[in-house]
Amino acid sequence: QVRLVESGGGLVQAGGSLRLSCEASGRTFSRSGMGWFRQAPGKEREFVAAISWRNAVPYYADDLKGRLTISMDNAKNMVYLQMNSLKRDDTAVYYCAVPERQYYSGSYFRQSGYKYWGQGTQVTVAS
């Protein structure tokens, strides 16, 4: 059974930074890749970032590039999302997700490519 647990969210002032973590059990990130999504109040869930299993290639939403860094620690089977220069618009629940199968070959940008989701971690950016 695949289980994902996010952590690292919280309240931060605009301009500050947070590092989100995603820990997996029942799935090895280095064999499947994973993605981060977020859902703000009253809005649909949207893609934030992803990292592929092959060569750990990072992918970012266009409007978030430059402020995010996604990384994978294979030894710990953890994925991190470093978020800098946070804005009020970044306030959302952030979810990590993994595809159904290992050695995923589909798009990391689409929610439909992901089978397992964590419970989410709240990020609140105050002005």
Side-chain angles (χ1 to χ4, degrees), residues 31 38 42 47 75 85 96 112:
R31 296 178 185 170
R38 70 183 184 183
F47 173 78
S85 303
C96 64
S112 59

Side-chain angles (χ1 to χ4, degrees), residues 13-92:
Q13 294 294 314
S17 299
L18 281 176
R19 189 178 80 156
L20 305 184
S21 302
C22 180
E23 182 176 12
S25 57
R27 173 61 57 86
T28 302
F29 285 132
S30 62
R31 296 178 185 170
S32 68
M34 66 84 67
W36 284 99
F37 291 78
R38 70 183 184 183
Q39 186 166 20
K43 296 186 178 181
E44 294 188 356
R45 191 161 54 188
E46 62 179 359
F47 173 78
V48 174
I51 188 164
S52 69
W53 64 268
R54 187 191 296 273
N55 299 321
V57 177
Y59 301 96
Y60 301 103
D62 287 341
D63 57 345
L64 300 176
K65 279 181 183 177
R67 298 197 291 121
L68 304 180
T69 303
I70 189 169
S71 60
M72 184 187 300
D73 185 331
N74 292 339
K76 296 181 179 180
N77 198 30
M78 298 278 291
V79 172
Y80 305 102
L81 182 67
Q82 178 69 39
M83 304 190 296
N84 300 322
S85 303
L86 285 163
K87 307 174 182 179
R88 286 193 64 183
D89 287 348
D90 295 318
T91 295

